[in-house]
Amino acid sequence: MIKMMPFQLSSGATVIGTEVKLPKTTLLSISTDNGYIMCGALDVSLLNDRLKDRAIVAGRAVGVRTLEDLMDAPLESITHAAEALGITVGMRGKDALEKML
């Protein structure tokens, strides 16, 4: 099952959360037009190394079970492109999303 849910950030911008239920796991992501945050399934090393030419803006949070958790969780790792926007490891998901607008 796939569920999409809008979230309003403190700036007033709306971002879209996506939840994909799979056998034994759930994929979670919340995106802006410029980047996204995702659950532990995100391979930041792949984005930074093999797909570096795409300059993907993304962050990964681990141990999250819901989209709400993902908004509040600290990012465990980020891409180089996200770092260039001022996003840092440890920043809460919703704060990183604000910088991705």
Side-chain angles (χ1 to χ4, degrees):
M1 177 200 290
I2 298 173
K3 176 171 111 178
M4 297 180 75
M5 177 186 307
F7 287 91
Q8 189 169 16
L9 300 176
S10 60
S11 66
T14 300
V15 294
I16 302 298
T18 305
E19 176 182 287
V20 180
K21 297 258 186 199
L22 298 171
K24 300 183 183 182
T25 194
T26 302
L27 299 179
L28 302 168
S29 69
I30 303 173
S31 60
T32 71
D33 288 340
N34 300 313
Y36 59 94
I37 58 174
M38 194 170 167
C39 63
L42 180 64
D43 187 344
V44 172
S45 295
L46 173 77
L47 300 181
N48 281 336
D49 299 335
R50 296 189 59 193
L51 303 178
K52 65 183 169 191
D53 58 315
R54 297 183 190 184
I56 296 169
V57 176
R60 174 182 182 224
V62 294
V64 295
R65 297 192 181 275
T66 67
L67 291 168
E68 291 81 4
D69 289 347
L70 184 55
M71 289 286 283
D72 289 325
L75 297 180
E76 176 265 343
S77 56
I78 58 172
T79 62
H80 298 311
E83 188 175 20
L85 290 179
I87 297 166
T88 59
V89 169
M91 180 178 281
R92 290 185 311 163
K94 60 183 152 191
D95 298 326
L97 290 166
E98 291 278 7
K99 292 189 172 282
M100 293 179 190
L101 296 174

